[in-house]
Structure formats: C-alpha cells, structure tokens
Amino acid sequence: MEERPETELISIPATPRASTPEILTPSGQRSPRLGGSKEGKSSTWTPTSFISPRFLSPIGTPMKRVLVNMKGYLEEVGHLTKLNPQDAWLPITESRNGNAHYAAFHNLNAGIGFQALVLPVAFSFLGWSWGIISLTIAYIWQLYTLWILVQLHEAVPGKRYNRYVELAQAAFGEIRERLGVWLALFPTVYLSAGTATALILIGGETMKLFFETVCGPLCSSNPLTTVEWYLVFTSLCIVLSQLPNLNSIAGLSLIGAVTAITYCTMVWVLSVSQQRPPSISYQPLSLPSFSASIFSVLNALGIIAFAFRGHNLALEIQATMPSTFKHPAHVPMWRGAKVAYIFIAMCLFPVAIGGFWAYGNLMPSGGILNALFGFHSHDIPRGLLAVTFLLVVFNCLSSFQIYSMPVFDSFEAGYTSRTNRPCSIWVRSGFRVFYGFVNFFIGVALPFLASLAGLLGGLTLPVTFAYPCFMWVLIKRPAKFSFNWYFNWTLGWLGIAFSLAFSLGGIWSMVNSGLKLKFFKPS
C-alpha cells in the first residue's frame, strides 16, 4: 500500500512587522496599508513568508489555530511516525496499549528459563573465579546491548522498527541488499522456533517427572511414554496459543515470571540446604590434553552465553507500546527492562553459585534440577519436588507463547500481504496448531536438541552480543575513531569471534561426550 507523504507543519507569523502601517478591516483584523506614508513616500510591503498575511484575514487565523492545535495534539497523544496499515492486523503490533509493567513481565518471562538450570555445569569446567567473572561480564555486556536495542527502536525519525529482523535489514542493508535479513534470520528463527521445540522436550519430560513423583509406585502399571507426554504438553501449548496478540499474553508472562523466580529460588535453596556429596570437589574438571581443556572451557562459556536470551524479542515487546513525542516508547520499555533484569540477576547468580557449591564437579550435564532429583530425591519431601517440577512446567508453557509470537507474526504477515485482509479466527488458529505440531515433530525427531546448550549458545550469540553493537554504529553513525565508534566495533567483532569459538567448543563437547544422536528415539 502506498504511503502518503507526511505533512510538514510550518510556523506562520501571527502579525506583520511592527513597522508596517496597518488599518482595520471590516472584520476587525489588521491589514497592512497599501498606500504611502505620511511623508508621501510610496512604499511596497514585502511579506515575511511565502504565505501573505492577507491570507490570515479573515480565515487565516482559524486555519493557523487548527494547525497549532493539531501539532499540540500530536505531541501530546499522537506521533508523526509512518504506520503500516498491515501492522494493525498482526499479533505483535495489533495492540499498542503496553506499559512498563507489561515490559517487565515479558522480559522476565523471556529472560529466565530452563537455560538458567545448566549454569552450574559451566562452573564445573571454569571453577569459582572464572565462572563468576565470565557470568558477570556476560550480564553487563548483554544489558548494554539491550539498551542499544531499546534506543534503536525509533532511531530514525518517522520509523519504528517493530521486529529484530527489520532493524537488522535497515542497518546491514546499506552494506548489501538483504544481508541484514540473512544475518539475523537464522539465529532469530532458532531462538523462536528452536527454543519452542526445546521447551516441548523439557516441559514434557518434567511433566513425566511430576507424574512419577506424585503417584510413585501406585501409577506405574501403564504409564504414558515420553512421546505421549510431549504430545500432552504440546496440546496445552496450542490451547494457550489461541490468545490473539502479544499484549494479550501479558498475564501468562506474569505467571511465567513468577514461576521462574520461584523454582529457581527453590532449586538452589533446596540444593544448598542438603548435605553435600562426600566426594565433592571444586577443581575444574581435568581433561587428558590441553586442547581438550580449551574446548571444554569454550563450551562452558557457550553455556553462559546461552543463559542470556530474549534480545530477539526486545523490539517486539517495545512495539506493543504507544509512542508520542512527549512520551516515547523507550522510556517505559527501559524502565520495565531494568526491573526485569534485576530479578534475572537474582535468579541466575544464585543458581550458578549455589548449584556449584552444592554439587561441585559432580554436576550432571542435565543441570541442577537433574542433580537435585538424582542426589536428594529420597531426602527432600516428595511434595516439594512435585511443586518444583510443576512450576517448571508452568514456566515452559508461558515461555512457549512469547517465543512463538514472532513466528505467528511471520505466518500472518505472509497471509495478509497476499490477501490484503486480516486473518480470520480459523486461519489464525490453523497457523498455530500447525506450528505447534511441527515443533512436536522436530522434538520427537531430534530429542537431543535440549542438551546442546553450548553449541546453540555459540550459534545464537551474535543476536545478543554482536549485532546490536554493529547496528548502533551503522544507524547512529558516531564520529569515526571516537571512543563510541571504537567501543562498539570492538564489542561487535569480539562477539563474532566468541560465537565461532563457542560453536567449535560445543561441537567438540558433543563429540567428546559421546552424545548419541538417536533420531525419533526419545529416552
């Protein structure tokens, strides 16, 4: 659809120059005298604007008042951003009544999840000092890149970048056409669809553990298989995914945030309150060769990088907020994000440090939840274990919705661009049912996907740590060779280098640990 050019508001002088002779018109408005002065000298009045002041009388002043009032209205409640009418039909931008509270809920739901539970695994390879240092640096780095994304949402006057891929295309597209799309497409698609598949695997397996914990030996006559638990979890996800847009799942995001904070706290508190295993050690795991040690460290750093996700949703969350000249969207977005990441730090650091203190280098590759169940399943009351597992299930259900929303948006964008009409409720439901079962099929085909945290952290690292720095330089254009210019280019290329290194470390770890790639054979 063709966009109309924006109307420029022109400042119009209310009265002519004081030195100009004036007479009163019948309408009561002042007008310059066309005749000569008292001295008899004839003079010609030259207007100060291309719009003659005679135009202001008698209808000029009302027209100017309308323009001034319109400008004030736009500054107070509206904006001069060019809006794509199609945005009103899509799940991310359909509702723009978000606020700082919604931003906090969504960021918490996207930022805390199952990946936090494997942080103690990274500490078992890095040890105390390097583990804490690496986690702290990664936290500060990703907080800076989140601030960059929030600021770039409306970096160009008259344009809102409502999706991560749109911003990447605007930044990298100047270098080469469609480069931004291809650079951002794979990692963002994985962070949406791949995370949704991993959530099905973890949610289904946790539901199975919850059932076994609650029922015990009484319900073991004919239990559901792992695939059947995946199917149960997928069906619940599909039912919840019928909520129409991103703002409508704010309640689910609140539930996901509360359950994540609760189970993270419960897991590390229960772990440190129990007696530690007698053979525990805090020395980094020793490996037979120097190269093996290097690759294991890189894999551990990839696990830490994978713990910080959600940047691929930052622009989408901000797109749900109204934005005006006096009240731009970045203010409530950043306020909500700051609150969210305080709580995220209060979850990630205790889980990593407490988990490593409780289990040391005996930590299993599945993370602290597996360690808790393996070492203390008979020491901890069965009810507490069941509640912990149930909270993980609720969090996975909530996280599935927010990570799937960009994919739903892409499906509906393709449909509306071809048909030039919004999706009906049946078409929208069909897309979401199809997407849910595609993820279920991938989860059954690749049941080992959730155990590749190091590799996947390396592959998706540029979205969080590298691309925002590059996009800041390319869009904001700081002075060449200034501190800002050097700082962002350095961080960006460091992020790319770390991405390659962590990916290699993840591949090595997968080969070294003898990961059995059992296709279509969930355990």
Side-chain angles (χ1 to χ4, degrees):
M1 184 177 294
E2 211 173 33
E3 296 179 349
R4 295 182 178 179
E6 295 184 21
T7 304
E8 183 182 0
L9 298 178
I10 304 171
S11 177
I12 304 173
T15 58
R17 293 181 178 179
S19 62
T20 306
E22 298 172 336
I23 61 171
L24 287 176
T25 64
S27 63
Q29 300 291 330
R30 294 185 177 274
S31 177
R33 187 186 301 272
L34 297 179
S37 63
K38 287 182 179 180
E39 290 78 4
K41 296 178 183 178
S42 62
S43 62
T44 304
W45 178 80
T46 303
T48 59
S49 171
F50 71 89
I51 300 178
S52 171
R54 187 173 297 278
F55 176 70
L56 299 177
S57 176
I59 63 171
T61 299
M63 288 191 66
K64 180 201 168 187
R65 190 177 297 118
V66 168
L67 292 175
V68 170
N69 291 340
M70 181 182 298
K71 182 179 180 181
Y73 171 78
L74 290 172
E75 290 179 347
E76 186 65 33
V77 297
H79 49 73
L80 292 177
T81 302
K82 295 179 181 179
L83 298 178
N84 183 356
Q86 187 186 12
D87 281 345
W89 301 338
L90 302 179
I92 288 175
T93 49
E94 186 178 49
S95 171
R96 290 189 185 268
N97 61 352
N99 51 45
H101 299 92
Y102 285 12
F105 301 158
H106 290 316
N107 277 288
L108 270 170
N109 190 27
I112 309 177
F114 68 91
Q115 77 282 1
L117 302 178
V118 295
L119 280 175
V121 179
F123 274 53
S124 65
F125 289 97
L126 298 173
W128 281 118
S129 300
W130 286 110
I132 294 175
I133 291 172
S134 301
L135 187 60
T136 303
I137 292 174
Y139 177 80
I140 296 172
W141 190 347
Q142 62 84 34
L143 200 60
Y144 170 68
T145 56
L146 177 65
W147 177 83
I148 286 178
L149 292 174
V150 171
Q151 297 300 315
L152 290 180
H153 178 72
E154 292 179 295
V156 178
K159 174 69 176 175
R160 291 186 73 175
Y161 297 111
N162 297 319
R163 296 157 186 87
Y164 193 101
V165 175
E166 289 180 9
L167 182 62
Q169 186 175 11
F172 299 118
E174 296 183 5
I175 302 174
R176 188 174 180 182
E177 185 124 8
R178 301 191 63 81
L179 176 63
V181 175
W182 291 112
L183 284 176
L185 194 60
F186 168 72
T188 52
V189 165
Y190 170 73
L191 283 171
S192 294
T195 301
T197 301
L199 288 168
I200 288 177
L201 299 177
I202 293 169
E205 292 169 0
T206 309
M207 287 182 75
K208 182 179 179 181
L209 288 175
F210 170 77
F211 182 78
E212 292 173 352
T213 304
V214 170
C215 291
L218 302 177
C219 305
S220 59
S221 57
N222 190 21
L224 294 178
T225 64
T226 304
V227 174
E228 289 170 337
W229 281 115
Y230 291 166
L231 185 59
V232 171
F233 185 84
T234 304
S235 301
L236 292 175
C237 289
I238 290 173
V239 171
L240 292 175
S241 70
Q242 301 308 311
L243 293 170
N245 54 60
L246 189 53
N247 268 339
S248 67
I249 66 169
L252 283 178
S253 290
L254 174 60
I255 294 173
V258 171
T259 54
I261 293 171
T262 306
Y263 80 69
C264 284
T265 305
M266 287 182 65
V267 163
W268 74 262
V269 168
L270 288 174
S271 295
V272 301
S273 63
Q274 301 298 316
Q275 187 174 2
R276 289 179 287 178
S279 58
I280 191 171
S281 172
Y282 298 110
Q283 293 297 320
L285 290 172
S286 57
L287 294 171
S289 65
F290 176 76
S291 60
S293 300
I294 293 295
F295 280 120
S296 65
V297 168
L298 292 176
N299 180 62
L301 293 173
I303 292 174
I304 290 178
F306 187 60
F308 297 104
R309 60 177 190 173
H311 284 50
N312 62 307
L313 299 170
L315 295 173
E316 284 80 350
I317 294 171
Q318 194 169 347
T320 64
M321 300 178 184
S323 185
T324 68
F325 286 129
K326 290 189 176 180
H327 305 286
H330 70 83
V331 175
M333 175 63 184
W334 183 238
R335 188 184 304 128
K338 285 188 294 185
V339 173
Y341 275 86
I342 289 174
F343 282 101
I344 289 172
M346 292 169 58
C347 291
L348 298 186
F349 282 87
V351 166
I353 296 172
F356 186 56
W357 182 88
Y359 306 108
N361 55 18
L362 299 177
M363 178 68 61
S365 60
I368 189 173
L369 195 61
N370 288 4
L372 180 66
F373 187 76
F375 286 102
H376 304 299
S377 58
H378 300 294
D379 305 327
I380 298 175
R382 198 166 63 181
L384 276 178
L385 280 177
V387 169
T388 305
F389 293 145
L390 189 61
L391 291 173
V392 174
V393 171
F394 286 159
N395 175 253
C396 290
L397 285 170
S398 303
S399 297
F400 182 92
Q401 309 308 319
I402 192 167
Y403 273 93
S404 300
M405 198 59 70
V407 182
F408 298 157
D409 189 84
S410 298
F411 284 165
E412 296 187 29
Y415 176 86
T416 55
S417 63
R418 286 174 173 79
T419 62
N420 199 27
R421 65 172 183 266
C423 291
S424 66
I425 188 172
W426 298 110
V427 173
R428 174 172 283 181
S429 297
F431 281 146
R432 300 183 182 198
V433 171
F434 169 77
Y435 172 76
F437 282 110
V438 165
N439 280 289
F440 166 75
F441 176 80
I442 295 173
V444 174
L446 309 173
F448 50 85
L449 191 64
S451 61
L452 305 180
L455 173 61
L456 300 176
L459 293 175
T460 58
L461 182 145
V463 171
T464 301
F465 294 95
Y467 291 165
C469 301
F470 291 143
M471 291 189 287
W472 177 267
V473 174
L474 294 173
I475 292 178
K476 286 292 188 177
R477 300 185 183 279
K480 275 192 176 184
F481 311 117
S482 64
F483 173 79
N484 195 348
W485 189 85
Y486 275 119
F487 183 70
N488 284 285
W489 275 119
T490 302
L491 282 184
W493 286 114
L494 274 177
I496 296 296
F498 286 155
S499 175
L500 296 174
F502 297 169
S503 299
L504 290 175
I507 294 172
W508 176 90
S509 176
M510 184 175 63
V511 173
N512 183 67
S513 61
L515 178 65
K516 297 179 180 179
L517 306 181
K518 295 182 178 179
F519 298 93
F520 296 98
K521 290 182 180 180
S523 56

